[in-house]
Each structure stands twice: as C-alpha cells, then as structure tokens.
Amino acid sequence: MFDLENIIRPNIKLLNPYSSAREEYQGNAEILLDANESPYPTGLNRYPDPYQSQLKQKISQLKGVAVSNIFVGNGSDEVIDLLFRAFCKPEVDKAYLFTPTYGMYEVSAQINNIKIVTIPLTSEFELPSIDVIRNSIKSKGLLFICSPNNPTGNTYSLSSVSKIAQSFDGLVVLDEAYIDFSNATSGISLLAKIPNLVVIQTMSKAYGLAGLRLGLGYAHDNIINVLNKIKPPYNINTLSQAKGLEALDKVELQKKKVSEIISQRERLFNSLNELSCTIKVYPSHGNFLLATFREPQIIIDKLRSLGIIIRDRRSQITNGLRISIGSPKENTKLINILKELCP
Ligand SMILES: *Cc1c(COP(=O)(O)O)cnc(C)c1O
C-alpha cells in the first residue's frame, strides 16, 4: 500500500524549513524593512513571491487544478530533483526508467545517489506488459513515465499509467513536457483517484519559453507541501513569474504556434519517409521526430558542415537521430539538403 509518510526521507521529515521574511509577513505594508532589501527601486529590488501566487492562480484557472495542487519549479528539472531529494532514500530506493527515455532522470538519480532500474520499452517503444513491470519493481522510489516520450515521440494510455501506479508503492512521475503537441488527455485527470501520481509539465516547449525556466508539477497537497518545504525559498525569480503570467494570458497565440509545429511535423515526417537514407521514421506526438538512418554519421556531418545541428541518439537507439521541428523555412532548408544527399 502506498503511504506518503513511508517514502519521505527521514531528514526531510525532521526538517524545520527556512522561513523567509516575505513569507512571515503577508499583507500590504508601506514600509518594508524586514528583508535587507535595497529601498531604491530598480524594478527588481524586492524579493519575489516565494509561492508564485499569481502565476499559480492563472495555471489553476487554465488547468482546472486547485492552487494547493500546483508546484512551480525552476524548469521541470528542478521539480525532478526535488522529488528525488524528498521521496527517494539513497542506497534504499530506486529510480525506475522505461528506456530509451529522457536523459535527465538518470542524471538526477545519480546526483542524488539513487540506483537506476531500467525497464526496456518494446521494439515499437511501447510499455512492456504489466506483469513484466511488476516483476521489475523491487523497492519504492520514483518511477518515470514520459508521455509523449522523448526521444521516441509516442504516448502511453492513461489506463496503463493507472495500472502501474496501483502496482507501485513509490511515486509515479508522469512527464508531459510534450503533451501540447499531442491530442492525449493529461494525467492531471487521474490525480483525484491516484494518490502517488505527480504530473509534470513545462513552459519550455509548447510555450516557447525554454529560457525562462518554468516547470510545473501537479499532485496531491501532501506531496506539494513537502516540495514547498524543501525548495529554495525564491526559486522562481520576479522576471520569470511576470513573463510566465504574460504568456498564460495569451494562450491563443501559443495554440496557433503549436498547430503550425504539428503541421510542419507531418510535412517533415513525409519528406523524411521518402528519402533513400532513412530506415524508419517514427510517428511523433512531440515537436521532434525520431528516425533511423542507414549512415547516420554522414547525415550528421553533412548537416553540421552546413550549420545545422541535430541530436545524435545512437547511444540509445541504433542509427537513431532526433530532429526538432523548426520554422517552415528551416525545415525547407533541411529537407532540401537531405534530398540532395539521398534522393
Ligand atoms: C525538454 C524536456 C523537459 C523540460 O525540462 P525543463 O527543465 O522544464 O526545460 C522535461 N521533460 C522532458 C522529457 C523533456 O524533453
């Protein structure tokens, strides 16, 4: 049985969190002499809101999730790291990964001195059967499901996610960094029923704000409370909070860009499929395509010599290269070069 109390690291349970000046005083004061800030306005002379209330209220409205179920991190990478620090005991618990997948899970696990258990996806990059998954799980910890998966581009059903969560006494982290490029339903809809689920999303991809570093976590209050207790007090700076809020006020614009990227993805998929140098192009629900090439090194070198960088994924997938969807003009250039190289 899942019990959050059982998976919180003992030192975190005992932790008496830092209480910032801005946290202890809430209200409207005219004179702030509590935080050793400069009184001279620079636009940024005050510390940011430690709990990002405005930003969370906006996210709450858009996603239909209560503010108390939202966590904002300095990129999803911070959310992942904090989950390890809070809910995974070094040398005891493990990180379970369905491979190939996003590389940061493993790096973050290693930084936190957590051993990894890899469970290979099938040859078509689907999840293995629930029995195989159950047999691989030998301890508590964090189990990552990336859907749509980076770098393979496919999504997994929410019923598989629920089944896995029900078979696990640790936390299931459902990474939906690319969900806006798919027509899949978000795992946020499962939160009410599944106490050990954390859904993470990001403003780095579909919102075009990778430089801002805004990652979002959705989970039950008791999980969010622990993350709030251990996060750096001012983890989201004033500019990021303001810009994030601004972007969320213009959701229509973001949706337009996303649909353009999706139609460019279909175009690039078809073009790559027609080339003589591709072995297989995988259908994708992300803003990228995975393809296997007969001679990937030639492709990488040729493109690089012409100033185009793509992602070499051969360490994970034999002959596999990942290509992000660019602007229509960039995609045209890419397609023309490849057509010339291998018509
Ligand atoms: C890009 C990406 C992220 C985003 O990370 P940020 O730290 O929010 O920029 C998260 N998960 C996956 C699988 C990604 O590919």
Side-chain angles (χ1 to χ4, degrees):
M1 264 295 282
F2 170 73
D3 179 359
L4 192 74
E5 289 303 311
N6 278 339
I7 66 164
I8 304 175
R9 281 195 203 182
N11 63 310
I12 300 299
K13 253 192 214 174
L14 294 173
L15 178 74
N16 196 1
Y18 176 75
S19 177
S20 63
R22 242 353 75 76
E23 221 168 313
E24 286 179 0
Y25 180 78
Q26 278 158 350
N28 288 320
E30 251 176 56
I31 301 180
L32 296 169
L33 304 176
D34 60 340
N36 297 351
E37 296 154 333
S38 166
Y40 301 110
T42 59
L44 294 167
N45 57 314
R46 299 296 173 190
Y47 279 106
D49 172 2
Y51 296 114
Q52 311 96 22
S53 335
Q54 277 186 296
L55 189 58
K56 282 185 188 165
Q57 256 152 38
K58 191 81 206 173
I59 295 165
S60 165
Q61 285 166 17
L62 286 172
K63 303 280 176 179
V65 179
V67 166
S68 60
N69 298 123
I70 302 172
F71 181 82
V72 185
N74 189 358
S76 354
D77 292 344
E78 185 183 44
V79 184
I80 294 166
D81 179 63
L82 291 175
L83 288 168
F84 273 116
R85 291 205 223 176
F87 304 114
C88 223
K89 302 180 188 97
E91 316 278 353
V92 178
D93 295 332
K94 304 235 163 10
Y96 295 91
L97 312 181
F98 294 106
T99 51
T101 193
Y102 185 43
M104 266 315 283
Y105 309 140
E106 181 167 353
V107 173
S108 199
Q110 283 171 345
I111 291 169
N112 283 282
N113 195 17
I114 305 292
K115 295 255 165 24
I116 289 148
V117 177
T118 54
I119 310 172
L121 295 167
T122 68
S123 58
E124 289 297 304
F125 303 132
E126 291 301 328
L127 292 170
S129 72
I130 189 74
D131 290 333
V132 168
I133 297 171
R134 282 193 188 122
N135 287 333
S136 310
I137 295 175
K138 302 244 156 50
S139 68
K140 299 187 180 68
L142 298 183
L143 182 150
F144 289 88
I145 303 175
C146 185
S147 180
N149 187 36
N150 177 4
T152 61
N154 56 315
T155 53
Y156 310 119
S157 72
L158 288 186
S159 77
S160 310
V161 174
S162 321
K163 269 191 219 144
I164 294 169
Q166 281 158 11
S167 313
F168 188 50
D169 293 338
L171 286 187
V172 169
V173 183
L174 177 61
D175 187 344
E176 296 185 334
Y178 299 98
I179 184 121
D180 293 315
F181 302 103
S182 82
N183 44 25
T185 306
S186 169
I188 289 175
S189 60
L190 299 176
L191 284 175
K193 284 197 185 140
I194 306 184
N196 59 333
L197 181 66
V198 180
V199 177
I200 57 182
Q201 297 181 347
T202 179
M203 296 194 68
S204 294
K205 307 287 158 62
Y207 281 91
L209 293 170
L212 210 52
R213 313 306 302 130
L214 283 177
L216 310 170
Y218 306 91
H220 278 247
D221 302 31
N222 53 0
I223 295 173
I224 301 293
N225 291 344
V226 177
L227 295 178
N228 279 332
K229 187 167 124 168
I230 67 169
K231 80 181 184 71
Y234 303 115
N235 61 326
I236 310 296
N237 70 67
T238 304
L239 296 176
S240 291
Q241 292 190 40
K243 281 279 178 191
L245 198 57
E246 204 177 288
L248 293 172
D249 274 328
K250 294 185 228 153
V251 189
E252 288 315 308
L253 189 71
Q254 175 254 352
K255 286 198 174 134
K256 230 180 103 197
K257 289 184 198 157
V258 165
S259 63
E260 172 112 320
I261 288 170
I262 291 172
S263 74
Q264 287 294 311
R265 179 182 72 200
E266 303 316 319
R267 171 189 173 216
L268 196 58
F269 178 86
N270 292 329
S271 305
L272 290 176
N273 245 330
E274 285 165 10
L275 299 174
S276 59
C277 52
T278 50
I279 301 168
K280 180 166 173 137
V281 189
Y282 290 86
S284 169
H285 294 100
N287 64 340
F288 57 84
L289 286 166
L290 172 72
T292 48
F293 288 81
R294 289 180 211 289
E295 297 198 70
Q297 194 61 51
I298 294 179
I299 306 290
I300 293 172
D301 292 344
K302 178 73 184 173
L303 290 174
R304 180 167 294 179
S305 74
L306 295 167
I308 300 177
I309 311 294
I310 59 172
R311 188 85 157 126
D312 187 353
R313 290 289 79 187
R314 285 177 292 174
S315 57
Q316 294 184 305
I317 296 152
T318 312
N319 296 323
L321 304 179
R322 194 194 67 196
I323 304 175
S324 304
I325 311 302
S327 68
K329 224 170 127 187
E330 290 169 341
N331 301 332
T332 301
K333 191 165 173 199
L334 174 79
I335 292 165
N336 288 342
I337 293 167
L338 291 177
K339 267 188 186 158
E340 201 170 303
L341 196 63
C342 49

